[in-house]
Structure formats: C-alpha cells, structure tokens
C-alpha cells in the first residue's frame, strides 16, 4: 500500500493540468536546497489565490497510514478537471454546494469563487482538522462550513435539511485498492441527495480494478435518475470521467 501511495503521489505531482486554474505546490527545502516534501497546494484563478496547507499536526499523522485518508492531503487531476467543468457549465450564483470527500477543499472553495453563497466541505473526521485550517486560512474567499461526515443516508439527509443544498460534488473518491468498497456508501448518499432534488457531479480517474463500474451498477439500482457521462477525457496519462445526476425537479 505504501508503494502504491508513493506512485500515485508522484504521478499526481507531475500531471495535474487545468484549463482555467494555475495549480502548483510549495515545498519544504532542506539546508542543501533540496525539496524535501510539499507543504502547500496553491490554486490561482484570475486575481485570486488559494493557499491550501498540506502540513498536519502530529496527532493527525498516524491515521493517514491506516487507510486512504492520506489522499485527502493532495489535489488530484479529477478535482482540477471538475473545477474546469464547473466554470464552463454550472451557474453557482447564490447556490449552496456540498463537497463529499473534500480533502484540501479546493473544488468547494472554487465554487465560492464562482458565486456560491456557501460551500459545505465534508470528509472523514481524521482529515477535518486540516480541512478546517484551510477553510479558516482562506475565509476571505467565501463562506465555508466544515463538517465531518462518514457517508451514510442519515448524515446526508441532515446536511440537506440544515443547509438546503443545490449541488453536490465529489472528486476521485472511488478506488478500491485504496478506499475499499466505500463506493457502496457513496451510492447511498448520492441517491439520497438526488431524491431530494440535488444535482450531483462525481469526478473519477479510471484505473485498473477501481470499482467505478460496481458503483455505477449499484446506484443504477437505487436511483431513479440515470447517470449522464458529461465528460470523458484523457489528460496526459489520466483518464478522467465526470458523471452527473440531474433530478427532474431540482431544489430551486
């Protein structure tokens, strides 16, 4: 698992591309001038800049090596591609956006740049400390609410009742070798939100044995609204697909 994490991280560093956003990393440099590790992801759009720290507190590090939580400390190609797609295709003005598996929080924060009145940034408890610090450090860019969320119908329903969500987004959270079969819970959550009138957009990078086809088969048996493939594109060596569920009667 450690080698897989290293390979994914190295590939990610080399290939994150965006049409509208300048994505870069800041690094910790040792006394010899060598780059030791990334300390922050920087996202620029027009005259705005997000600086998203990757530096975690000591008590936050151990859980990263017990599961897939470490992936929440990076910005992946699937997220950058979703951000581009939202710029071209969604009207975020005065909308409420929920991000599932937010990690650093970039896509949700970008929605605030594009006019969303509130972005609810959610992830598992183990990485919400980092997510909360990034929301606080970038608070001048919009209204951000950070909530811990293990994917389940009850949690999704409560978030909808509390915030009256218009859009839900999720980036690169389906990959069985890293996350196991959590796509089952994601299927339940997306179905619950779509049934409440929320437009859902899920961005994935297709990989061998990723579990995405299982997710799509499962959700097709739950959700009366079929998935639409709104983007299918190879960017460098990353195969990115965006799936959208658009209910017949949206929230508003």
């Amino acid at each position: 698992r450690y080698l897989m994490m290293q390979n994914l991280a190295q590939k990610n560093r080399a290939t994150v591309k965006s049409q509208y956003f300048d994505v870069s990393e800041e690094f910790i440099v040792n006394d010899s001038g060598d780059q030791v590790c990334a300390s922050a992801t920087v996202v620029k759009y027009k005259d705005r800049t997000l600086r998203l720290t990757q530096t975690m507190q000591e008590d936050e590090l151990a859980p990263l090596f017990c599961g897939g939580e470490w992936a929440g400390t990076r910005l992946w190609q699937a997220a950058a591609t979703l951000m581009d797609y939202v710029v071209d295709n969604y009207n975020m003005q005065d909308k409420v956006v929920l991000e599932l598996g937010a990690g650093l929080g970039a896509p949700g924060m970008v929605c605030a740049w594009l006019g969303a009145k509130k972005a609810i940034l959610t992830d598992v408890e183990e990485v919400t400390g980092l997510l909360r610090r990034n929301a606080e450090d970038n608070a001048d860019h919009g209204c951000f609410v950070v909530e811990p969320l293990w994917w389940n119908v009850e949690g999704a329903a409560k978030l909808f009742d509390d915030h009256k969500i218009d859009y839900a987004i999720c980036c690169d959270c389906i990959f069985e070798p890293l996350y196991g079969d959590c796509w089952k819970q994601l299927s339940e959550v997306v179905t619950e939100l779509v049934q409440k009138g929320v437009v859902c957009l899920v961005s994935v990078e297709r990989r061998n044995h990723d579990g995405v086809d299982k997710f799509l088969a499962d959700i097709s048996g739950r959700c009366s609204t079929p998935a639409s493939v709104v983007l299918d594109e190879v960017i460098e060596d990353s195969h990115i697909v965006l799936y959208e569920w658009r209910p017949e009667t949206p929230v508003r």
Side-chain angles (χ1 to χ4, degrees):
R1 173 171 284 183
Y2 176 75
L3 290 175
M4 177 181 65
M5 291 160 55
Q6 288 289 88
N7 290 336
L8 287 172
Q10 187 62 38
K11 175 175 178 288
N12 175 68
R13 177 183 297 179
T15 61
V16 173
K17 305 294 181 184
S18 171
Q19 180 179 354
Y20 297 111
F21 301 91
D22 179 12
V23 180
S24 61
E25 289 186 330
E26 294 179 353
F27 291 87
I28 296 173
V29 179
N30 63 18
D31 293 339
S32 301
D34 299 320
Q35 294 179 343
V36 179
C37 63
S39 60
T41 295
V42 179
V43 180
K44 296 182 179 181
Y45 176 68
K46 296 182 178 179
D47 60 344
R48 300 183 178 185
T49 301
L50 290 172
R51 185 182 182 279
L52 305 169
T53 182
Q54 299 176 17
T55 305
M56 307 188 78
Q57 304 299 321
E58 184 175 354
D59 60 352
E60 297 171 330
L61 293 175
L64 296 185
F65 297 95
C66 300
E69 287 83 3
W70 74 277
T73 65
R74 308 192 66 83
L75 180 66
W76 300 91
Q77 183 61 58
T81 302
L82 180 141
M83 286 155 41
D84 284 343
Y85 184 83
V86 168
V87 171
D88 283 334
N89 297 279
Y90 281 19
N91 178 11
M92 287 291 173
Q93 195 64 41
D94 296 326
K95 302 300 184 183
V96 177
V97 179
L98 167 66
E99 185 174 3
L100 301 167
L104 296 175
M109 294 182 189
V110 162
C111 289
W113 276 353
L114 300 175
K117 65 181 178 182
K118 180 165 54 177
I120 304 116
L121 310 173
T122 67
D123 213 318
V124 294
E125 183 72 42
E126 288 80 0
V127 296
T128 52
L130 180 65
L131 182 57
R132 187 167 285 109
R133 288 194 295 278
N134 280 324
E136 292 171 353
D137 290 346
N138 295 279
D140 56 335
H141 292 291
C143 178
F144 308 129
V145 178
V146 175
E147 297 274 6
L149 178 67
W150 286 98
W151 292 337
N152 59 77
V153 170
E154 294 77 14
K158 184 178 187 304
L159 283 172
F160 178 83
D161 292 340
D162 290 346
H163 300 286
K164 298 300 182 287
I165 299 159
D166 298 290
Y167 293 105
I169 58 176
C170 180
C171 302
D172 216 0
C173 291
I174 305 172
F175 184 42
E176 279 194 336
L178 194 59
Y179 302 119
D181 62 1
C182 69
W183 52 262
K184 295 178 181 177
Q185 289 75 42
L186 180 60
S187 172
E188 294 174 356
V189 167
V190 171
T191 299
E192 176 70 14
L193 293 171
V194 172
Q195 290 175 345
K196 290 183 176 295
V198 178
V199 176
C200 294
L201 184 65
V202 174
S203 178
V204 299
E205 178 173 345
R206 297 306 312 259
R207 306 176 177 97
N208 291 332
H209 312 295
D210 54 20
V212 171
D213 292 334
K214 297 178 185 178
F215 164 74
L216 294 172
D218 186 80
I219 200 169
S220 68
R222 298 176 184 273
C223 187
S224 59
T225 300
S228 298
V229 176
V230 295
L231 183 145
D232 187 338
E233 184 176 347
V234 176
I235 302 170
E236 298 292 330
D237 58 349
S238 297
H239 180 194
I240 307 298
V241 185
L242 270 63
Y243 301 96
E244 182 187 70
W245 289 262
R246 186 173 288 272
E248 294 181 3
T249 306
V251 177
R252 56 184 180 273

